Amino acid sequence: VSGTSITFGSVVTIDSNSGNANPMCAFDSTTGKVIAVWRRHTNDYGAARIGTVSGNSISWGSEVLWTGTTQTDKPSVTCQGGYAVCVDQNKVNVGQISGTSITFGTMATIPDFTTGDATNVAVDPNTGIFVIQAQRGASNLVAAIPATRSGTTLTFGTYKQLTTSSPSNNQTLCWAGGENKFFASFS
């Protein structure tokens, strides 16, 4: 990026299967690495690769399945402190980034989140607090739950209900900057 213009390098293929879907990426400032996650075409498992940026090109490490043999739909990922947190529906897994590889812990279930709708994750880099947003299983209403990380394990806090009527989808979530707050949107 230079001023108000941007120059891109050559397109680099992360995975050659054109049937893969719903990719998302995040940058980890601690390791200087990029992680890409997606739903794998052949079996719908959640896949990930670590990327190394050099100038305006990138090279990718080997594929790792972060969901094991559990299927995914629309994965979301964020990074902080050399770790990546991957979520989809009511599942979460944390991986430690090392070079061009990532080692995931044990996949966990997010308490009372439902399957079948998008789940989002964001992190406050100042506090290390993660927030996960999705529909709750009991009500199908959008909620957010904070979590703290220790190694490859997340500990969840108390839900905050974001909607009070009919289920919502088309959700987004991001960290809102220096205010140590998060911004959530939904239809």
Side-chain angles (χ1 to χ4, degrees):
V1 176
S2 176
T4 58
S5 65
I6 187 167
T7 303
F8 286 98
S10 299
V11 173
V12 176
T13 300
I14 299 172
D15 186 280
S16 60
N17 190 323
S18 62
N20 292 334
N22 303 323
M24 180 172 248
C25 64
F27 176 73
D28 180 53
S29 60
T30 301
T31 61
K33 302 293 181 176
V34 175
I35 182 172
V37 297
W38 63 92
R39 184 181 76 208
R40 207 173 180 210
H41 170 69
T42 54
N43 48 25
D44 292 338
Y45 298 163
R49 286 185 194 256
I50 300 298
T52 304
V53 176
S54 176
N56 62 357
S57 67
I58 189 166
S59 59
W60 294 97
S62 299
E63 179 186 78
V64 176
L65 298 179
W66 65 270
T67 61
T69 58
T70 301
Q71 293 182 334
T72 61
D73 186 29
K74 299 175 186 168
S76 180
V77 63
T78 193
C79 295
Q80 192 266 339
Y83 290 83
V85 175
C86 301
V87 299
D88 185 55
Q89 301 183 61
N90 66 344
K91 301 296 183 194
V92 61
N93 205 342
V94 181
Q96 185 174 14
I97 299 167
S98 177
T100 59
S101 65
I102 186 165
T103 303
F104 285 98
T106 302
M107 191 167 61
T109 300
I110 303 165
D112 196 36
F113 271 9
T114 187
T115 60
D117 191 42
T119 303
N120 297 291
V121 61
V123 63
D124 179 342
N126 297 319
T127 64
I129 301 293
F130 293 87
V131 171
I132 301 171
Q133 171 193 330
Q135 290 179 351
R136 290 188 69 184
S139 64
N140 281 335
L141 300 178
V142 177
I145 188 169
T148 56
R149 182 193 57 75
S150 176
T152 57
T153 302
L154 291 183
T155 301
F156 296 100
T158 304
Y159 282 98
K160 172 66 178 173
Q161 199 73 36
L162 302 180
T163 58
T164 57
S165 61
S166 67
S168 297
N169 46 24
N170 300 320
Q171 303 168 40
T172 66
L173 175 71
C174 69
W175 176 65
E179 298 296 321
N180 293 336
K181 296 180 181 179
F182 293 85
F183 179 83
S185 71
F186 38 86
S187 62

